[in-house]
mmCIF file of all heavy atoms in Angstrom:
data_model
loop_
_atom_site.group_PDB
_atom_site.id
_atom_site.type_symbol
_atom_site.label_atom_id
_atom_site.label_comp_id
_atom_site.label_asym_id
_atom_site.label_seq_id
_atom_site.Cartn_x
_atom_site.Cartn_y
_atom_site.Cartn_z
ATOM 1 N N SER Z 27 0.832 -1.211 0.000
ATOM 2 C CA SER Z 27 0.000 0.000 0.000
ATOM 3 C C SER Z 27 0.864 1.258 0.000
ATOM 4 O O SER Z 27 0.489 2.274 -0.602
ATOM 5 C CB SER Z 27 -0.919 0.013 1.222
ATOM 6 O OG SER Z 27 -1.807 -1.079 1.202
ATOM 7 N N ALA Z 28 2.025 1.198 0.653
ATOM 8 C CA ALA Z 28 2.939 2.344 0.657
ATOM 9 C C ALA Z 28 3.466 2.626 -0.745
ATOM 10 O O ALA Z 28 3.634 3.787 -1.133
ATOM 11 C CB ALA Z 28 4.103 2.091 1.619
ATOM 12 N N LEU Z 29 3.708 1.566 -1.512
ATOM 13 C CA LEU Z 29 4.119 1.742 -2.914
ATOM 14 C C LEU Z 29 3.045 2.489 -3.693
ATOM 15 O O LEU Z 29 3.329 3.407 -4.467
ATOM 16 C CB LEU Z 29 4.375 0.382 -3.575
ATOM 17 C CG LEU Z 29 5.600 -0.415 -3.132
ATOM 18 C CD1 LEU Z 29 5.540 -1.821 -3.705
ATOM 19 C CD2 LEU Z 29 6.884 0.270 -3.590
ATOM 20 N N ALA Z 30 1.781 2.079 -3.495
ATOM 21 C CA ALA Z 30 0.670 2.723 -4.208
ATOM 22 C C ALA Z 30 0.448 4.150 -3.712
ATOM 23 O O ALA Z 30 0.179 5.060 -4.500
ATOM 24 C CB ALA Z 30 -0.607 1.893 -4.039
ATOM 25 N N GLU Z 31 0.576 4.349 -2.403
ATOM 26 C CA GLU Z 31 0.334 5.661 -1.802
ATOM 27 C C GLU Z 31 1.343 6.695 -2.316
ATOM 28 O O GLU Z 31 1.013 7.872 -2.474
ATOM 29 C CB GLU Z 31 0.435 5.531 -0.277
ATOM 30 C CG GLU Z 31 0.329 6.816 0.493
ATOM 31 C CD GLU Z 31 -1.090 7.351 0.590
ATOM 32 O OE1 GLU Z 31 -2.034 6.632 0.196
ATOM 33 O OE2 GLU Z 31 -1.253 8.488 1.031
ATOM 34 N N THR Z 32 2.577 6.263 -2.574
ATOM 35 C CA THR Z 32 3.629 7.192 -3.020
ATOM 36 C C THR Z 32 3.823 7.160 -4.538
ATOM 37 O O THR Z 32 4.813 7.697 -5.043
ATOM 38 C CB THR Z 32 4.958 6.856 -2.319
ATOM 39 O OG1 THR Z 32 5.261 5.460 -2.504
ATOM 40 C CG2 THR Z 32 4.889 7.144 -0.841
ATOM 41 N N ASN Z 33 2.897 6.506 -5.254
ATOM 42 C CA ASN Z 33 2.950 6.434 -6.727
ATOM 43 C C ASN Z 33 4.250 5.817 -7.241
ATOM 44 O O ASN Z 33 4.813 6.239 -8.245
ATOM 45 C CB ASN Z 33 2.771 7.831 -7.357
ATOM 46 C CG ASN Z 33 1.422 8.422 -7.039
ATOM 47 O OD1 ASN Z 33 0.424 7.704 -6.941
ATOM 48 N ND2 ASN Z 33 1.371 9.729 -6.856
ATOM 49 N N ARG Z 34 4.726 4.811 -6.529
ATOM 50 C CA ARG Z 34 5.951 4.122 -6.962
ATOM 51 C C ARG Z 34 5.591 2.931 -7.848
ATOM 52 O O ARG Z 34 4.518 2.341 -7.696
ATOM 53 C CB ARG Z 34 6.709 3.602 -5.730
ATOM 54 C CG ARG Z 34 7.429 4.666 -4.978
ATOM 55 C CD ARG Z 34 8.658 5.158 -5.685
ATOM 56 N NE ARG Z 34 9.769 4.208 -5.586
ATOM 57 C CZ ARG Z 34 10.983 4.434 -6.047
ATOM 58 N NH1 ARG Z 34 11.252 5.556 -6.666
ATOM 59 N NH2 ARG Z 34 11.941 3.537 -5.910
ATOM 60 N N PRO Z 35 6.502 2.540 -8.758
ATOM 61 C CA PRO Z 35 6.269 1.306 -9.514
ATOM 62 C C PRO Z 35 6.071 0.142 -8.548
ATOM 63 O O PRO Z 35 6.727 0.118 -7.498
ATOM 64 C CB PRO Z 35 7.559 1.131 -10.320
ATOM 65 C CG PRO Z 35 8.135 2.519 -10.393
ATOM 66 C CD PRO Z 35 7.744 3.202 -9.126
ATOM 67 N N PRO Z 36 5.213 -0.849 -8.853
ATOM 68 C CA PRO Z 36 4.460 -1.015 -10.105
ATOM 69 C C PRO Z 36 3.134 -0.257 -10.123
ATOM 70 O O PRO Z 36 2.271 -0.565 -10.935
ATOM 71 C CB PRO Z 36 4.210 -2.522 -10.112
ATOM 72 C CG PRO Z 36 4.057 -2.873 -8.665
ATOM 73 C CD PRO Z 36 5.003 -1.978 -7.911
ATOM 74 N N PHE Z 37 2.953 0.717 -9.223
ATOM 75 C CA PHE Z 37 1.686 1.450 -9.152
ATOM 76 C C PHE Z 37 1.858 2.896 -9.608
ATOM 77 O O PHE Z 37 1.177 3.792 -9.111
ATOM 78 C CB PHE Z 37 1.150 1.428 -7.714
ATOM 79 C CG PHE Z 37 1.007 0.047 -7.142
ATOM 80 C CD1 PHE Z 37 1.778 -0.357 -6.068
ATOM 81 C CD2 PHE Z 37 0.115 -0.855 -7.682
ATOM 82 C CE1 PHE Z 37 1.655 -1.640 -5.542
ATOM 83 C CE2 PHE Z 37 -0.017 -2.134 -7.167
ATOM 84 C CZ PHE Z 37 0.755 -2.518 -6.099
ATOM 85 N N ASP Z 38 2.768 3.148 -10.551
ATOM 86 C CA ASP Z 38 3.021 4.527 -10.997
ATOM 87 C C ASP Z 38 2.098 4.912 -12.156
ATOM 88 O O ASP Z 38 2.515 5.536 -13.121
ATOM 89 C CB ASP Z 38 4.492 4.715 -11.365
ATOM 90 C CG ASP Z 38 4.958 3.730 -12.425
ATOM 91 O OD1 ASP Z 38 4.310 2.675 -12.576
ATOM 92 O OD2 ASP Z 38 5.969 4.007 -13.099
ATOM 93 N N LEU Z 39 0.835 4.516 -12.045
ATOM 94 C CA LEU Z 39 -0.146 4.800 -13.106
ATOM 95 C C LEU Z 39 -0.323 6.292 -13.379
ATOM 96 O O LEU Z 39 -0.518 6.688 -14.525
ATOM 97 C CB LEU Z 39 -1.512 4.197 -12.736
ATOM 98 C CG LEU Z 39 -1.794 2.719 -13.085
ATOM 99 C CD1 LEU Z 39 -1.661 2.499 -14.578
ATOM 100 C CD2 LEU Z 39 -0.879 1.765 -12.366
ATOM 101 N N PRO Z 40 -0.289 7.165 -12.335
ATOM 102 C CA PRO Z 40 -0.480 8.594 -12.605
ATOM 103 C C PRO Z 40 0.586 9.175 -13.533
ATOM 104 O O PRO Z 40 0.370 10.198 -14.159
ATOM 105 C CB PRO Z 40 -0.394 9.236 -11.219
ATOM 106 C CG PRO Z 40 -0.794 8.148 -10.280
ATOM 107 C CD PRO Z 40 -0.248 6.900 -10.887
ATOM 108 N N GLU Z 41 1.761 8.567 -13.588
ATOM 109 C CA GLU Z 41 2.829 9.094 -14.449
ATOM 110 C C GLU Z 41 3.295 8.025 -15.438
ATOM 111 O O GLU Z 41 4.484 7.912 -15.741
ATOM 112 C CB GLU Z 41 3.981 9.611 -13.590
ATOM 113 C CG GLU Z 41 4.198 8.798 -12.329
ATOM 114 C CD GLU Z 41 5.097 9.478 -11.311
ATOM 115 O OE1 GLU Z 41 6.299 9.507 -11.547
ATOM 116 O OE2 GLU Z 41 4.580 9.938 -10.277
ATOM 117 N N ALA Z 42 2.352 7.229 -15.929
ATOM 118 C CA ALA Z 42 2.686 6.155 -16.869
ATOM 119 C C ALA Z 42 3.073 6.753 -18.214
ATOM 120 O O ALA Z 42 2.234 7.266 -18.940
ATOM 121 C CB ALA Z 42 1.483 5.222 -17.018
ATOM 122 N N GLU Z 43 4.370 6.686 -18.554
ATOM 123 C CA GLU Z 43 4.846 7.374 -19.760
ATOM 124 C C GLU Z 43 4.284 6.772 -21.047
ATOM 125 O O GLU Z 43 4.246 7.423 -22.081
ATOM 126 C CB GLU Z 43 6.382 7.393 -19.807
ATOM 127 C CG GLU Z 43 7.045 6.035 -19.958
ATOM 128 C CD GLU Z 43 7.162 5.267 -18.647
ATOM 129 O OE1 GLU Z 43 6.918 5.867 -17.586
ATOM 130 O OE2 GLU Z 43 7.482 4.077 -18.709
ATOM 131 N N SER Z 44 3.812 5.510 -20.995
ATOM 132 C CA SER Z 44 3.288 4.878 -22.203
ATOM 133 C C SER Z 44 1.928 5.449 -22.612
ATOM 134 O O SER Z 44 1.526 5.306 -23.754
ATOM 135 C CB SER Z 44 3.170 3.366 -21.990
ATOM 136 O OG SER Z 44 2.368 3.110 -20.855
ATOM 137 N N GLU Z 45 1.224 6.091 -21.674
ATOM 138 C CA GLU Z 45 -0.106 6.607 -22.008
ATOM 139 C C GLU Z 45 -0.307 8.062 -21.590
ATOM 140 O O GLU Z 45 -0.999 8.806 -22.272
ATOM 141 C CB GLU Z 45 -1.177 5.719 -21.358
ATOM 142 C CG GLU Z 45 -0.814 5.299 -19.932
ATOM 143 C CD GLU Z 45 -1.700 4.181 -19.394
ATOM 144 O OE1 GLU Z 45 -2.792 4.529 -18.956
ATOM 145 O OE2 GLU Z 45 -1.287 3.014 -19.427
ATOM 146 N N LEU Z 46 0.290 8.471 -20.457
ATOM 147 C CA LEU Z 46 0.060 9.828 -19.954
ATOM 148 C C LEU Z 46 1.327 10.681 -19.946
ATOM 149 O O LEU Z 46 1.433 11.652 -19.205
ATOM 150 C CB LEU Z 46 -0.519 9.781 -18.532
ATOM 151 C CG LEU Z 46 -1.908 9.149 -18.375
ATOM 152 C CD1 LEU Z 46 -2.334 9.207 -16.929
ATOM 153 C CD2 LEU Z 46 -2.919 9.853 -19.251
ATOM 154 N N VAL Z 47 2.314 10.308 -20.759
ATOM 155 C CA VAL Z 47 3.605 11.008 -20.825
ATOM 156 C C VAL Z 47 4.231 11.014 -19.417
ATOM 157 O O VAL Z 47 4.794 10.024 -19.012
ATOM 158 C CB VAL Z 47 3.451 12.438 -21.383
ATOM 159 C CG1 VAL Z 47 4.828 12.981 -21.768
ATOM 160 C CG2 VAL Z 47 2.537 12.437 -22.602
ATOM 161 N N ALA Z 48 4.106 12.110 -18.654
ATOM 162 C CA ALA Z 48 4.641 12.125 -17.282
ATOM 163 C C ALA Z 48 3.554 12.451 -16.277
ATOM 164 O O ALA Z 48 3.823 12.940 -15.187
ATOM 165 C CB ALA Z 48 5.782 13.128 -17.176
ATOM 166 N N GLY Z 49 2.290 12.204 -16.643
ATOM 167 C CA GLY Z 49 1.186 12.429 -15.718
ATOM 168 C C GLY Z 49 1.055 13.881 -15.306
ATOM 169 O O GLY Z 49 1.219 14.787 -16.125
ATOM 170 N N TYR Z 50 0.788 14.111 -14.029
ATOM 171 C CA TYR Z 50 0.543 15.473 -13.546
ATOM 172 C C TYR Z 50 1.780 16.354 -13.628
ATOM 173 O O TYR Z 50 1.712 17.560 -13.419
ATOM 174 C CB TYR Z 50 0.009 15.436 -12.114
ATOM 175 C CG TYR Z 50 0.915 14.705 -11.144
ATOM 176 C CD1 TYR Z 50 1.921 15.382 -10.469
ATOM 177 C CD2 TYR Z 50 0.773 13.341 -10.905
ATOM 178 C CE1 TYR Z 50 2.763 14.728 -9.591
ATOM 179 C CE2 TYR Z 50 1.603 12.672 -10.026
ATOM 180 C CZ TYR Z 50 2.598 13.368 -9.376
ATOM 181 O OH TYR Z 50 3.435 12.708 -8.511
ATOM 182 N N GLN Z 51 2.955 15.789 -13.946
ATOM 183 C CA GLN Z 51 4.190 16.571 -14.022
ATOM 184 C C GLN Z 51 4.536 16.986 -15.456
ATOM 185 O O GLN Z 51 5.595 17.572 -15.685
ATOM 186 C CB GLN Z 51 5.355 15.760 -13.442
ATOM 187 C CG GLN Z 51 5.169 15.371 -11.994
ATOM 188 C CD GLN Z 51 6.254 14.426 -11.498
ATOM 189 O OE1 GLN Z 51 7.105 14.010 -12.266
ATOM 190 N NE2 GLN Z 51 6.209 14.076 -10.225
ATOM 191 N N VAL Z 52 3.658 16.701 -16.423
ATOM 192 C CA VAL Z 52 3.979 16.928 -17.832
ATOM 193 C C VAL Z 52 4.463 18.349 -18.099
ATOM 194 O O VAL Z 52 5.488 18.563 -18.755
ATOM 195 C CB VAL Z 52 2.753 16.617 -18.725
ATOM 196 C CG1 VAL Z 52 2.994 17.116 -20.144
ATOM 197 C CG2 VAL Z 52 2.485 15.131 -18.768
ATOM 198 N N GLU Z 53 3.725 19.338 -17.610
ATOM 199 C CA GLU Z 53 4.022 20.732 -17.951
ATOM 200 C C GLU Z 53 5.053 21.367 -17.014
ATOM 201 O O GLU Z 53 5.372 22.540 -17.154
ATOM 202 C CB GLU Z 53 2.727 21.563 -17.918
ATOM 203 C CG GLU Z 53 1.620 21.057 -18.821
ATOM 204 C CD GLU Z 53 1.931 21.227 -20.308
ATOM 205 O OE1 GLU Z 53 2.967 21.847 -20.630
ATOM 206 O OE2 GLU Z 53 1.146 20.742 -21.136
ATOM 207 N N TYR Z 54 5.570 20.603 -16.062
ATOM 208 C CA TYR Z 54 6.496 21.176 -15.081
ATOM 209 C C TYR Z 54 7.945 21.019 -15.517
ATOM 210 O O TYR Z 54 8.321 20.011 -16.122
ATOM 211 C CB TYR Z 54 6.296 20.524 -13.709
ATOM 212 C CG TYR Z 54 5.092 21.057 -12.981
ATOM 213 C CD1 TYR Z 54 3.859 20.424 -13.089
ATOM 214 C CD2 TYR Z 54 5.181 22.199 -12.204
ATOM 215 C CE1 TYR Z 54 2.743 20.911 -12.432
ATOM 216 C CE2 TYR Z 54 4.075 22.702 -11.535
ATOM 217 C CZ TYR Z 54 2.860 22.052 -11.655
ATOM 218 O OH TYR Z 54 1.765 22.551 -11.014
ATOM 219 N N SER Z 55 8.757 22.006 -15.179
ATOM 220 C CA SER Z 55 10.192 21.943 -15.447
ATOM 221 C C SER Z 55 10.910 22.731 -14.361
ATOM 222 O O SER Z 55 10.268 23.341 -13.503
ATOM 223 C CB SER Z 55 10.493 22.556 -16.829
ATOM 224 O OG SER Z 55 10.049 23.907 -16.859
ATOM 225 N N SER Z 56 12.210 22.676 -14.386
ATOM 226 C CA SER Z 56 13.023 23.470 -13.480
ATOM 227 C C SER Z 56 12.676 23.236 -11.994
ATOM 228 O O SER Z 56 12.391 22.101 -11.596
ATOM 229 C CB SER Z 56 12.873 24.951 -13.851
ATOM 230 O OG SER Z 56 13.718 25.747 -13.064
ATOM 231 N N SER Z 57 12.663 24.307 -11.194
ATOM 232 C CA SER Z 57 12.475 24.190 -9.738
ATOM 233 C C SER Z 57 11.138 23.570 -9.336
ATOM 234 O O SER Z 57 11.109 22.752 -8.404
ATOM 235 C CB SER Z 57 12.625 25.555 -9.071
ATOM 236 O OG SER Z 57 13.862 26.120 -9.396
ATOM 237 N N PRO Z 58 9.999 23.933 -9.971
ATOM 238 C CA PRO Z 58 8.742 23.286 -9.582
ATOM 239 C C PRO Z 58 8.770 21.765 -9.764
ATOM 240 O O PRO Z 58 8.278 21.029 -8.904
ATOM 241 C CB PRO Z 58 7.705 23.939 -10.509
ATOM 242 C CG PRO Z 58 8.288 25.263 -10.845
ATOM 243 C CD PRO Z 58 9.756 25.036 -10.925
ATOM 244 N N TYR Z 59 9.369 21.301 -10.861
ATOM 245 C CA TYR Z 59 9.496 19.852 -11.066
ATOM 246 C C TYR Z 59 10.382 19.241 -9.987
ATOM 247 O O TYR Z 59 10.100 18.159 -9.465
ATOM 248 C CB TYR Z 59 10.069 19.560 -12.451
ATOM 249 C CG TYR Z 59 10.330 18.086 -12.688
ATOM 250 C CD1 TYR Z 59 9.285 17.218 -13.000
ATOM 251 C CD2 TYR Z 59 11.607 17.551 -12.553
ATOM 252 C CE1 TYR Z 59 9.508 15.867 -13.185
ATOM 253 C CE2 TYR Z 59 11.837 16.199 -12.730
ATOM 254 C CZ TYR Z 59 10.787 15.363 -13.053
ATOM 255 O OH TYR Z 59 11.005 14.011 -13.228
ATOM 256 N N LEU Z 60 11.462 19.952 -9.651
ATOM 257 C CA LEU Z 60 12.366 19.482 -8.596
ATOM 258 C C LEU Z 60 11.621 19.318 -7.275
ATOM 259 O O LEU Z 60 11.824 18.340 -6.548
ATOM 260 C CB LEU Z 60 13.521 20.478 -8.447
ATOM 261 C CG LEU Z 60 14.533 20.187 -7.335
ATOM 262 C CD1 LEU Z 60 15.371 18.973 -7.692
ATOM 263 C CD2 LEU Z 60 15.428 21.388 -7.090
ATOM 264 N N MET Z 61 10.727 20.281 -6.966
ATOM 265 C CA MET Z 61 9.956 20.195 -5.712
ATOM 266 C C MET Z 61 9.053 18.967 -5.707
ATOM 267 O O MET Z 61 8.943 18.275 -4.691
ATOM 268 C CB MET Z 61 9.107 21.456 -5.531
ATOM 269 C CG MET Z 61 9.894 22.676 -5.147
ATOM 270 S SD MET Z 61 8.792 24.058 -4.842
ATOM 271 C CE MET Z 61 9.935 25.395 -4.787
ATOM 272 N N PHE Z 62 8.396 18.700 -6.829
ATOM 273 C CA PHE Z 62 7.568 17.496 -6.928
ATOM 274 C C PHE Z 62 8.413 16.241 -6.676
ATOM 275 O O PHE Z 62 8.007 15.334 -5.943
ATOM 276 C CB PHE Z 62 6.915 17.397 -8.311
ATOM 277 C CG PHE Z 62 5.530 17.973 -8.379
ATOM 278 C CD1 PHE Z 62 5.178 18.864 -9.378
ATOM 279 C CD2 PHE Z 62 4.562 17.615 -7.446
ATOM 280 C CE1 PHE Z 62 3.894 19.393 -9.450
ATOM 281 C CE2 PHE Z 62 3.273 18.134 -7.508
ATOM 282 C CZ PHE Z 62 2.943 19.029 -8.510
ATOM 283 N N MET Z 63 9.599 16.193 -7.297
ATOM 284 C CA MET Z 63 10.445 15.004 -7.195
ATOM 285 C C MET Z 63 10.961 14.811 -5.765
ATOM 286 O O MET Z 63 10.921 13.703 -5.220
ATOM 287 C CB MET Z 63 11.623 15.118 -8.168
ATOM 288 C CG MET Z 63 12.383 13.817 -8.354
ATOM 289 S SD MET Z 63 13.560 13.891 -9.699
ATOM 290 C CE MET Z 63 14.825 14.926 -8.993
ATOM 291 N N ILE Z 64 11.423 15.913 -5.143
ATOM 292 C CA ILE Z 64 11.909 15.809 -3.756
ATOM 293 C C ILE Z 64 10.758 15.417 -2.829
ATOM 294 O O ILE Z 64 10.918 14.577 -1.940
ATOM 295 C CB ILE Z 64 12.555 17.135 -3.295
ATOM 296 C CG1 ILE Z 64 13.819 17.423 -4.095
ATOM 297 C CG2 ILE Z 64 12.896 17.074 -1.811
ATOM 298 C CD1 ILE Z 64 14.466 18.751 -3.778
ATOM 299 N N GLY Z 65 9.579 16.028 -3.036
ATOM 300 C CA GLY Z 65 8.415 15.685 -2.223
ATOM 301 C C GLY Z 65 8.064 14.209 -2.316
ATOM 302 O O GLY Z 65 7.742 13.570 -1.307
ATOM 303 N N GLU Z 66 8.170 13.664 -3.540
ATOM 304 C CA GLU Z 66 7.878 12.242 -3.724
ATOM 305 C C GLU Z 66 8.864 11.374 -2.951
ATOM 306 O O GLU Z 66 8.470 10.424 -2.266
ATOM 307 C CB GLU Z 66 7.946 11.917 -5.223
ATOM 308 C CG GLU Z 66 7.571 10.489 -5.559
ATOM 309 C CD GLU Z 66 7.575 10.227 -7.061
ATOM 310 O OE1 GLU Z 66 7.146 11.117 -7.828
ATOM 311 O OE2 GLU Z 66 8.013 9.130 -7.465
ATOM 312 N N TYR Z 67 10.148 11.707 -3.020
ATOM 313 C CA TYR Z 67 11.156 10.898 -2.325
ATOM 314 C C TYR Z 67 11.101 11.086 -0.809
ATOM 315 O O TYR Z 67 11.353 10.133 -0.050
ATOM 316 C CB TYR Z 67 12.559 11.201 -2.871
ATOM 317 C CG TYR Z 67 12.878 10.339 -4.070
ATOM 318 C CD1 TYR Z 67 12.534 10.747 -5.350
ATOM 319 C CD2 TYR Z 67 13.476 9.091 -3.924
ATOM 320 C CE1 TYR Z 67 12.783 9.951 -6.452
ATOM 321 C CE2 TYR Z 67 13.739 8.290 -5.014
ATOM 322 C CZ TYR Z 67 13.390 8.717 -6.280
ATOM 323 O OH TYR Z 67 13.633 7.918 -7.361
ATOM 324 N N VAL Z 68 10.760 12.298 -0.346
ATOM 325 C CA VAL Z 68 10.578 12.510 1.097
ATOM 326 C C VAL Z 68 9.434 11.635 1.608
ATOM 327 O O VAL Z 68 9.527 11.015 2.675
ATOM 328 C CB VAL Z 68 10.308 14.000 1.408
ATOM 329 C CG1 VAL Z 68 9.882 14.186 2.856
ATOM 330 C CG2 VAL Z 68 11.556 14.834 1.136
ATOM 331 N N SER Z 69 8.341 11.542 0.832
ATOM 332 C CA SER Z 69 7.200 10.692 1.212
ATOM 333 C C SER Z 69 7.584 9.217 1.220
ATOM 334 O O SER Z 69 7.148 8.457 2.088
ATOM 335 C CB SER Z 69 6.032 10.910 0.246
ATOM 336 O OG SER Z 69 5.570 12.232 0.305
ATOM 337 N N ILE Z 70 8.409 8.811 0.252
ATOM 338 C CA ILE Z 70 8.846 7.411 0.183
ATOM 339 C C ILE Z 70 9.662 7.055 1.423
ATOM 340 O O ILE Z 70 9.438 6.021 2.068
ATOM 341 C CB ILE Z 70 9.672 7.165 -1.098
ATOM 342 C CG1 ILE Z 70 8.767 7.243 -2.329
ATOM 343 C CG2 ILE Z 70 10.386 5.816 -1.047
ATOM 344 C CD1 ILE Z 70 9.516 7.390 -3.632
ATOM 345 N N VAL Z 71 10.614 7.927 1.782
ATOM 346 C CA VAL Z 71 11.458 7.650 2.955
ATOM 347 C C VAL Z 71 10.618 7.704 4.232
ATOM 348 O O VAL Z 71 10.858 6.946 5.179
ATOM 349 C CB VAL Z 71 12.644 8.641 3.014
ATOM 350 C CG1 VAL Z 71 13.514 8.371 4.241
ATOM 351 C CG2 VAL Z 71 13.486 8.534 1.760
ATOM 352 N N LEU Z 72 9.592 8.572 4.261
ATOM 353 C CA LEU Z 72 8.674 8.610 5.410
ATOM 354 C C LEU Z 72 7.960 7.269 5.562
ATOM 355 O O LEU Z 72 7.820 6.750 6.678
ATOM 356 C CB LEU Z 72 7.654 9.742 5.225
ATOM 357 C CG LEU Z 72 6.601 9.890 6.329
ATOM 358 C CD1 LEU Z 72 7.246 10.360 7.624
ATOM 359 C CD2 LEU Z 72 5.503 10.862 5.912
ATOM 360 N N MET Z 73 7.505 6.695 4.446
ATOM 361 C CA MET Z 73 6.844 5.387 4.491
ATOM 362 C C MET Z 73 7.816 4.295 4.957
ATOM 363 O O MET Z 73 7.436 3.401 5.716
ATOM 364 C CB MET Z 73 6.272 5.024 3.115
ATOM 365 C CG MET Z 73 4.987 5.749 2.793
ATOM 366 S SD MET Z 73 3.663 5.286 3.931
ATOM 367 C CE MET Z 73 2.342 6.345 3.386
#
């Protein structure tokens, strides 16, 4: 469930590049994208 909660493979459906490119991060670049990525990894380590 922690894998699914943090959108990690094999449950990374929100950012499935085969169908949704990069999901909710498609239009993000630079610092905002970095914040999303760090937030994701902080949540993973929290789990």
